[in-house]
Amino acid sequence: MFHPRRTLRALLLPLAAGLALAALPAQTAQAASTLTNAGFEADGTGAAVPSGWSESGTTAASYVEAGGHGGSYRLSHYSASAYKVETYQTLTGLTNGNYKLTAWVRSGGGQNSAYLALKNCGGTEQRTDLPVSTSGWIHLVVPVAVTNGQCTVSVSSDANAGNWINVDDLTFTSGTTGLSVKGSDISSLAKSEAYGGVYRTGSGTAGDALAILRSAGMNYARLKVWVDPADGYNNKARVLAMAKRIKAQGMKLLVDFHYSDTWADPGTQTKPAAWAGHTYSQLKTDVYNHTYDVLNALKAQGTTADMVQIGNEINGGMLWSEGSTDNFAQLAGLLNSGYDAAKAVSSSTVVALHLAKGGDLTGTRWWFDTALANGVKFDVIGLSYYGYWHGSLYDFQTTLDDAASRYGKPVFVAETAYPFRLDSDDALVNQIDTTAELVSGYPATTTGQSNWLRDVMNIVEAVPNGRGLGVFYWEATWTAVTGNGWDPTDPSSGNGWENQALFGFDDKALPAMAQFAHR
């Protein structure tokens, strides 16, 4: 197990070396277009200043120690008292253009800030914050446009006593990154508004929730569609109406087919009442006709779906029992019916398959290996990832990166969310309502919520070969509004999610919404 405290030798050497260095002149930038000592292997444990690097601030808090990601050593920031330190290296003689820094990192969390940065490159400084990861190494990326022939690579900590980070195996290469999808699921919005839901900007001005989200940087909206829901919401007609509003804001549209009259997820995949008793052959036709009908109606009104999910969190299949994973050949037939219908309407619509349990490497491999063996067609992979249910950020990155490389497909987070408080704004107990349920290092505060979304986005951006599409925040607009509960058959059912929305109990936009402006 990793332990952040240094050995006695590691504690003493940087202090002694730091005293000796204090009298030396500041290190000048070397004319080098590649990183020197990028894996911190040149010096060995106890080096106060890694070869090729410079330091500023509380320099005794930055040092080399054993326990690297790739090699034997790593850079660490740590002190028993509060500290601010920067470890940096300036590259010169660069050809102007796009570059990206990659690094492997760990962090115990708790800092005021801890980040990788590319600065003095001729334009705006670019930063990527370190997520909280106490055991597994996480890789991050920072892109920048170099316009003045040079760039400074920086590792910075503004930390409280006892906080620590590890950094190792940096690369600085040509290329760029970013996220094309910065979205949220807003399936609850129409019903919320019908029952009096109000949405406000951060300063308190009432407005259209979609416009507020768009102005924060959201560029994609996700809508679920049920076949014949009891409350008349999230059906074809409502999806068509909301699609017009989404497209009017200049956003793209993801349509999430549940193939049910109510919630479909790993624990429940109930056939629509209208399809009950249908044979497997009939169900394939049902899937095709329903998918085609909704998507063609969207196209006809000028709001063609940009992406489509054939099923929702289908770890165990869909349309049980005929479409269970216990009979994957039949599930494959149903999924391909949906795929074919979507492509028949619009060949450019991206077809996604969506699983939950975003940190489950073994389960995700089994599902997609089996799907491919059964001839299932799809364009991209979507995973739900809730950190309080689906494993650590390390588990999540491992699963996401593996899916992207193993299947050669783009990947995205179809759902994530995090609480900004634990108490409830209505009579129903919240899904997440105790500190014991939270992810370590991410408190149930507006800052904790914002940092969670930021760090999930950073991990998706770092998917190799540009295969990380982006993130959908789940149910950004599902505030506590009487009548807009979770159960479409029960008007008095409450909302167990309002403490994870992106609008507060005062209806104001929360700080996490600003993460939609992620590069």
Side-chain angles (χ1 to χ4, degrees):
M1 289 294 293
F2 168 75
H3 198 288
R5 295 193 178 279
R6 292 178 271 169
T7 62
L8 181 60
R9 180 171 181 270
L11 278 165
L12 294 175
L13 281 176
L15 294 174
L19 291 173
L21 284 168
L24 297 176
Q27 199 170 328
T28 56
Q30 295 181 342
S33 58
T34 56
L35 280 169
T36 301
N37 192 21
F40 304 100
E41 298 295 307
D43 309 292
T45 298
V49 182
S51 297
W53 295 82
S54 303
E55 295 176 346
S56 64
T58 314
T59 56
S62 173
Y63 54 92
V64 175
E65 67 178 347
H69 166 260
S72 300
Y73 303 100
R74 67 193 182 211
L75 174 71
S76 292
H77 287 179
Y78 167 82
S79 177
S81 54
Y83 63 95
K84 292 183 182 180
V85 68
E86 178 186 18
T87 309
Y88 62 94
Q89 184 175 151
T90 298
L91 302 176
T92 57
L94 296 172
T95 302
N96 288 342
N98 293 320
Y99 291 84
K100 58 183 178 180
L101 172 75
T102 67
W104 290 86
V105 304
R106 297 190 295 194
S107 172
Q111 300 91 347
N112 299 314
S113 64
Y115 58 89
L116 308 172
L118 294 174
K119 60 184 187 177
N120 308 320
C121 311
T124 305
E125 176 179 337
Q126 296 294 318
R127 294 183 179 183
T128 297
D129 295 271
L130 272 60
V132 179
S133 180
T134 57
S135 53
W137 289 89
I138 287 176
H139 66 94
L140 298 177
V141 63
V142 193
V144 75
V146 173
T147 58
N148 62 351
Q150 66 178 33
C151 198
T152 298
V153 175
S154 170
V155 181
S156 293
S157 295
D158 177 356
N160 299 300
N163 293 163
W164 61 270
I165 66 168
N166 304 146
V167 178
D168 202 3
D169 295 338
L170 294 93
T171 69
F172 185 80
T173 57
S174 61
T176 190
T177 64
L179 295 179
S180 59
V181 174
K182 292 164 280 191
S184 65
D185 192 302
I186 55 161
S187 297
S188 64
L189 179 58
K191 190 173 180 182
S192 172
E193 292 172 334
Y195 282 85
V198 174
Y199 299 89
R200 302 182 184 279
T201 64
S203 60
T205 304
D208 177 4
L210 272 178
I212 294 169
L213 288 161
R214 182 70 183 94
S215 66
M218 186 175 122
N219 66 3
Y220 227 117
R222 179 179 186 253
L223 296 175
K224 70 171 176 273
V225 57
W226 289 336
V227 176
D228 188 20
D231 62 359
Y233 286 87
N234 303 116
N235 60 9
K236 174 186 168 184
R238 302 284 186 177
V239 167
L240 287 169
M242 188 58 73
K244 286 184 178 179
R245 292 176 55 186
I246 289 165
K247 294 282 189 166
Q249 291 290 340
M251 297 183 193
K252 291 187 175 182
L253 171 65
L254 166 58
V255 178
D256 172 18
F257 284 95
H258 283 229
Y259 301 111
S260 180
D261 293 335
T262 187
W263 301 99
D265 56 47
T268 311
Q269 294 282 341
T270 305
K271 286 194 287 283
W275 305 357
H278 284 196
T279 64
Y280 167 64
S281 179
Q282 287 173 311
L283 288 172
K284 283 199 294 183
T285 302
D286 292 333
V287 168
Y288 187 97
N289 289 346
H290 172 61
T291 306
Y292 187 94
D293 179 47
V294 173
L295 296 180
N296 195 50
L298 285 165
K299 179 182 177 181
Q301 71 171 14
T303 59
T304 301
D306 300 281
M307 194 188 305
V308 171
Q309 281 179 219
I310 306 302
N312 186 76
E313 295 190 330
I314 53 175
N315 299 60
M318 65 185 197
L319 294 167
W320 288 346
S321 60
E322 287 80 0
S324 165
T325 50
D326 291 340
N327 190 337
F328 220 110
Q330 289 195 172
L331 173 59
L334 295 169
L335 293 173
N336 284 341
S337 280
Y339 179 95
D340 291 343
K343 295 296 186 179
V345 173
S346 170
S347 60
S348 63
T349 295
V350 175
V351 178
L353 296 181
H354 170 211
L355 301 188
K357 304 179 183 178
D360 180 7
L361 175 64
T362 302
T364 301
R365 276 185 173 181
W366 174 84
W367 200 98
F368 280 100
D369 283 357
T370 310
L372 287 173
N374 281 276
V376 175
K377 296 177 284 190
F378 62 98
D379 301 324
V380 300
I381 292 171
L383 298 176
S384 292
Y385 176 60
Y386 297 101
Y388 38 72
W389 291 330
H390 295 154
S392 69
L393 287 165
Y394 168 77
D395 295 330
F396 163 56
Q397 182 172 71
T398 302
T399 305
L400 193 71
D401 289 0
D402 183 78
S405 62
R406 189 177 182 89
Y407 308 111
K409 302 284 189 181
V411 293
F412 69 99
V413 174
E415 299 180 17
T416 192
Y418 205 76
F420 60 91
R421 57 196 291 171
L422 291 173
D423 57 325
S424 183
D425 197 25
D426 63 11
L428 185 65
V429 171
N430 290 329
Q431 291 268 0
I432 303 298
D433 67 343
T434 68
T435 54
E437 294 172 294
L438 298 174
V439 180
S440 178
Y442 297 88
T445 61
T446 56
T447 299
Q449 182 190 53
S450 186
N451 289 352
W452 176 260
L453 182 55
R454 176 198 72 196
D455 292 348
V456 169
M457 284 180 151
N458 284 340
I459 286 173
V460 177
E461 186 183 14
V463 173
N465 300 309
R467 290 194 177 118
L469 292 180
V471 174
F472 288 91
Y473 193 92
W474 197 68
E475 284 289 12
T477 58
W478 201 7
T479 53
V481 175
T482 302
N484 191 25
W486 69 271
D487 185 352
T489 69
D490 180 6
S492 66
S493 63
N495 174 8
W497 205 260
E498 75 274 10
N499 67 323
Q500 300 193 64
L502 293 183
F503 292 87
F505 289 6
D506 57 2
D507 302 323
K508 292 180 182 178
L510 292 169
M513 202 182 290
Q515 298 302 327
F516 286 132
H518 189 103
R519 56 177 172 258

